[in-house]
Amino acid sequence: MKRLGVFIGGNGSNLEAILEAIQRQELPMVCVGVISHNDHVQGIQRAKRFGVPVKVVPHASFSTRESFEAELLKETRALKPDVIALAGFMRLLSARFIEQVNVPILNIHPSLLPKYPGLHPHQQALDNHDAFTGATVHLVNEKMDDGHILAQAQVPVLAEDTKESLSQRVLRVEHKLYVEVLKWIAADRV
Ligand code: GRF
């Protein structure tokens, strides 16, 4: 079974969806560890509830990206992952880090990329009166929300939507989409 590492930075609802799918034996992977770049976030508690080991590499206590990534690399190598899923991990990774890790790194983003990379994608979809937005799972490169797209799912934008209602609807779809793509990876279909 493939060894999955998950990098988080916040709430961890995608992490929980992945861990639930593993627990239900719907996703044949083993989650070997979670690394958070923020301390005291909900995602850490969620991982612990599933008995998954957690390391915190707090980006704010490193003075340079190089020193942060050196520590992140050390903790990542210790997990010996076959694949890494970013789930709310809000740091850009350098080309050097990606090369050194040398396993596929996936990310999920709440828009139909290449539309609305970066922050506030839901607000942008609302401001532009888009009829649809969605979620994208893509391979990670050194640019923001930019790598090769593996899968996308559409979500309707409703007239009465607020940023909160829309992001909740997108998030429910993210949880399904991320697990689906990881199943393809588990089956060597990517
Ligand atoms: C999700 O919307 C994800 O697409 C984005 O950050 C959010 C993380 O949510 N990259 P969670 O921490 O998984 O709840």
Side-chain angles (χ1 to χ4, degrees):
M1 268 208 289
K2 284 200 165 59
R3 298 167 60 85
L4 172 70
V6 184
F7 290 5
I8 63 166
N11 190 34
S13 71
N14 277 287
L15 166 69
E16 181 157 328
I18 292 166
L19 295 178
E20 276 175 354
I22 291 175
Q23 196 172 59
R24 286 197 303 268
Q25 299 187 347
E26 183 190 319
L27 173 60
M29 283 190 170
V30 49
C31 183
V32 288
V34 166
I35 300 178
S36 175
H37 69 82
N38 280 317
D39 209 346
H40 311 299
V41 289
Q42 181 70 21
I44 296 175
Q45 302 313 320
R46 295 191 203 244
K48 287 186 175 162
R49 250 189 277 132
F50 283 82
V52 174
V54 184
K55 287 279 178 199
V56 179
V57 182
H59 74 273
S61 37
F62 294 85
S63 55
T64 62
R65 180 157 96 165
E66 287 70 25
S67 56
F68 166 66
E69 286 194 346
E71 184 65 16
L72 188 62
L73 185 65
K74 199 182 95 202
E75 296 297 350
T76 303
R77 282 186 170 150
L79 299 178
K80 299 192 173 52
D82 299 308
V83 55
I84 293 168
L86 309 189
F89 183 83
M90 304 292 278
R91 313 306 300 166
L92 277 180
L93 296 171
S94 69
R96 186 177 153 79
F97 177 88
I98 294 165
E99 193 184 299
Q100 284 174 321
V101 164
N102 202 25
V103 298
I105 306 177
L106 277 59
N107 182 43
I108 189 155
H109 182 75
S111 77
L112 295 172
L113 290 172
K115 250 186 166 179
Y116 314 143
L119 297 175
H120 315 304
H122 309 99
Q123 191 59 53
Q124 292 184 73
L126 289 169
D127 291 348
N128 290 327
H129 305 287
D130 291 349
F132 287 93
T133 183
T136 302
V137 175
H138 64 94
L139 288 173
V140 169
N141 65 17
E142 73 281 8
K143 298 192 202 123
M144 194 182 321
D145 303 320
D146 180 76
H148 182 80
I149 291 174
L150 299 175
Q152 294 188 304
Q154 274 196 348
V155 177
V157 182
L158 308 180
E160 64 273 22
D161 262 333
T162 60
K163 198 177 85 181
E164 287 69 34
S165 64
L166 181 57
S167 56
Q168 284 309 312
R169 191 176 315 113
V170 173
L171 205 48
R172 286 195 292 276
V173 170
E174 288 183 45
H175 298 163
K176 293 205 182 82
L177 186 68
Y178 220 171
V179 168
E180 199 54 38
V181 174
L182 287 167
K183 283 197 223 167
W184 301 344
I185 303 257
D188 277 327
R189 283 178 55 210
V190 175

